[in-house]
Amino acid sequence: MDEWGPEKVVCVSDRKSGMKGVLVLDNTARGMGKGGTRMSPTLSVNEVARLARTMTWKWAAADLYYGGAKAGLMGDPNAANKEQLLRAFARALSNEVPKEYVFGLDMGLSEKDAAIFIDELGDRGAAVGLPTALGGVPYDELGVTGFGVAEAADAAAQTLSVPMEGARVVIQGFGAVGAAAAERFRALGATVVGVSTSVGSVHDPDGLDLNRLLQLRGEAGDGCVREYGGVRPTGDALAFDCDILVPAAIQDVVDVDVARSTTASLVVEGANMPTTGPALEVLAARGVSVVPDFIANAGGVIAAAFSMDNRYSPFATDPAQIFAHISTKIRGNAATVLLESSTRGTTPHVAARQIAQERVLAAMRLRGRTAIGEHAKQPVA
Ligand code: NAD
């Protein structure tokens, strides 16, 4: 607990089913609590509280009017009595859901589980992430996050006056995020020259045959790079010659060595926390711009916000609208963060965090939730 939150922690349990769970509403100054719902055998209140805090900053950095929250259910996501546990969890939180919190997807929960939540509470607004047959939107299939990553890169390139037409792009990771980003980069006029998966990497300075690689991905998954031909060790990708580097796989891969040697003038973080702290400093010193993860990969949360706003609408599943929404938000946010980082003389990561905190604090002051604020200045009657 600190000056930001959490505002409310609700621990629930049910002896009959063995259900144990927690809801954390971290900071709702900018809007009601929203964040995914996790199921894991090792879940702890502290873990959920930390995730809820991350959501507070993520919503504010994306400039969307939701508050940080997260819920978690302790248990094996493959347990035979999962449905019973989900129903008991939803019932126990019926005071809070959907008024203060709406269930969503995170580790251990799928669309089918979201359907159970709305059924148990008799309210289709109780969860987002529903199956398509119930009006939900398949975000990973649509590639919303990868699309947003390429949009962030394009906005950053414009801000930095780097031409996107013909820009050489290397993408580490060719999963839901990496593959969708590659398609969008191509549509924006860039040339994808390198791609890697956990199996290996492929490189062609004249541009990879993306259609073939995407088709092979459908057939062989991560083995697509081997099937493509000319496969090299997976780690080579981070050293491929490029203008834009997109780590879209795992954390801490852009280390000081990569930061010192990359030829990229722009790094766009598709994965969560792919760049180490010291590497960020090296990149900044070398004049390499970085679009931070929670700005660039916010396509998923923006799509979730779209679902939140349209939970009760029968006309809400038009993907074109969702992509337009993501494009506008992410482009604006990426440009703002890069401009602010140069105005403030700090890294884009620090600027993004400061912007998020300033937005949350401004909302807290307006609502009279701080000792020092708009309302604290009013004379006491
Ligand atoms: P995914 O499982 O679909 O794909 C991961 C890809 O990374 C695979 O191609 C895998 O082979 C590759 N990979 C793993 N280790 C690698 C390594 N050492 N070198 C090269 N490639 C490696 O996952 P995803 O959904 O694409 O997520 C990728 C990253 O983006 C994760 O950090 C995730 O947390 C983050 N992210 C995803 C979303 C989303 O909507 N899916 C949203 C925000 C952030």
Side-chain angles (χ1 to χ4, degrees), residues 135-139 142 144 303 306-307 310 313-326:
V137 184
Y139 295 130
L142 288 171
V144 293
F306 188 88
S307 297
N310 293 286
S313 163
F315 304 110
T317 45
D318 178 10
Q321 258 180 301
I322 297 170
F323 284 119
H325 217 66
I326 291 172

Side-chain angles (χ1 to χ4, degrees), residues 58 139-140 143-146 149 171-179 195-201 217 221-224 234-235 237-238 247-251 253 269-274 293 296-301:
K58 202 160 187 168
Y139 295 130
D140 266 3
V144 293
T145 300
V149 169
I171 304 174
Q172 185 199 44
F174 205 52
V177 177
V195 155
S196 67
T197 72
S198 53
V199 172
S201 59
R217 176 176 177 259
D222 283 341
C224 59
T234 189
L238 294 169
I250 49 170
Q251 70 285 350
V253 286
E269 296 187 322
N272 286 320
M273 297 179 284
D293 48 5
N297 70 24
V301 292

